[in-house]
Amino acid sequence: LCELAQLAELDLKNNFLTALPDNFGRLQALVVLSATNNRLRTLPASIGALRCLEDLSVFSNDIESLPQSLSELARLELLYVGSNPRLAALPRNMGRLRQLRILDASGCALTAVPDSLTACTRLTKLWLSKNRIAFLPERWAQMRNLTEIFLQDNDLQILPGSLTKLKLHNFAISGNPLLRTPQDLLSFNTTVACQPGVRRLAELCANVVLVAGIEWEEMHLPVSVCALLRRARHCSVCDGLFFNALTVVALFDMLCVYHRVPVLHVLCPACKIKMARKIESLNALLHS
């Protein structure tokens, strides 16, 4: 099979396959791969070599993990990994899939979504229902093409405030233990003051590393820069990068017109001032 160097489309669905060949990456011309409804437990690491692959479907298998090399599929547009009930995590570098438009990871055992996913700015549909997800990444404002999110039947109590920036057409959140009353939100509200002694140069270096998308964990950087990188946040309102004077505000907001949901806003100092009236109203309601 792997000698078919010009093969562009491969349909392997509805068989009893438990594995794909280790040298599967030799199918350099492959554009569409469907291995839905088999018994696959994983995918070969060599799949990352399929640089022409645009459509990958491994829906309804027994996959327990996905290779990190999956994030090397630079042309991938459609990814269907749903209905793999043992799949507990997506590759941490999902953000490298810059052409990705549809991601279906519903019906798995995911407990979290990798932060890097929000770098997939071409994504239009995200299906994550029937998992065990308790938290979502903070930064969603840059995903301007995202119009559909399905999050039913997870473990979400509160959603990131930046989701309110999206122009969603379809949104589903039923079957989650969402917070219901203003009093429920109180424990989430907090403010962290500026850290003393932060050097401007260190902050500038940290900013350059993050904006450039550098994988800094593998680099030898000064301790002060690493400390800033670990506490870097993006503002829910302006999407600006900041390191200090963190304010977290939980409140109810509207999503997709019809959904009033609890959201958690992480605010930079400037946006905290802009939202002062809304915060004061919330505090008054909480203490009334």
Side-chain angles (χ1 to χ4, degrees), residues 83-275:
S83 291
N84 283 285
R86 298 182 183 181
L87 182 60
L90 297 174
R92 64 178 182 277
N93 292 326
M94 287 287 291
R96 291 181 178 178
L97 301 176
R98 298 301 174 89
Q99 302 302 315
L100 193 64
R101 294 188 292 107
I102 297 177
L103 171 59
D104 181 1
S106 56
C108 297
L110 304 181
T111 57
V113 179
D115 289 341
S116 68
L117 181 65
T118 59
C120 299
T121 56
R122 292 179 180 265
L123 200 65
T124 61
K125 297 180 180 181
L126 178 60
W127 302 330
L128 297 172
S129 58
K130 297 182 180 179
N131 279 283
R132 304 170 190 170
I133 300 169
F135 298 97
L136 293 174
E138 289 180 359
R139 194 182 183 195
W140 294 86
Q142 60 183 347
M143 302 183 74
R144 297 179 181 88
N145 294 307
L146 193 57
T147 59
E148 182 172 289
I149 304 179
F150 292 160
L151 294 167
Q152 309 100 304
D153 301 317
N154 277 285
D155 295 327
L156 294 164
Q157 287 187 295
I158 196 165
L159 303 177
S162 58
L163 275 177
T164 61
K165 296 292 183 182
L166 302 180
K167 296 181 179 179
L168 297 175
H169 299 161
N170 295 304
F171 177 72
I173 193 68
S174 62
N176 282 273
L178 293 174
L179 303 180
R180 299 294 180 186
T181 69
Q183 287 69 30
D184 291 336
L185 305 180
L186 190 59
S187 62
F188 287 90
N189 295 347
T190 185
T191 297
V192 179
C194 290
Q195 299 290 329
V198 174
R199 294 181 297 177
R200 184 63 181 170
L201 181 58
E203 187 171 308
L204 179 61
C205 291
N207 190 82
V208 169
V209 169
L210 290 174
V211 171
I214 299 172
E215 295 182 14
W216 58 273
E217 294 89 347
E218 301 175 4
M219 300 176 62
H220 297 289
L221 296 173
V223 174
S224 58
V225 175
C226 290
L228 285 172
L229 288 167
R230 291 189 184 96
R231 64 171 181 260
R233 306 293 284 270
H234 285 269
C235 179
S236 301
V237 176
C238 69
D239 198 40
L241 184 66
F242 68 103
F243 303 93
N244 295 292
L246 171 67
T247 299
V248 178
V249 178
L251 45 81
F252 290 102
D253 214 329
M254 300 301 295
L255 266 177
C256 197
V257 181
Y258 303 107
H259 298 270
R260 181 176 180 269
V261 295
V263 298
L264 196 67
H265 285 289
V266 178
L267 304 176
C268 66
C271 288
K272 179 187 176 183
I273 296 173
K274 294 178 182 178
M275 291 189 67

Side-chain angles (χ1 to χ4, degrees), residues 70-90:
L70 192 72
S71 61
E72 298 172 14
L73 299 174
R75 295 188 181 182
L76 193 65
E77 297 183 12
L78 312 175
L79 177 59
Y80 302 95
V81 295
S83 291
N84 283 285
R86 298 182 183 181
L87 182 60
L90 297 174

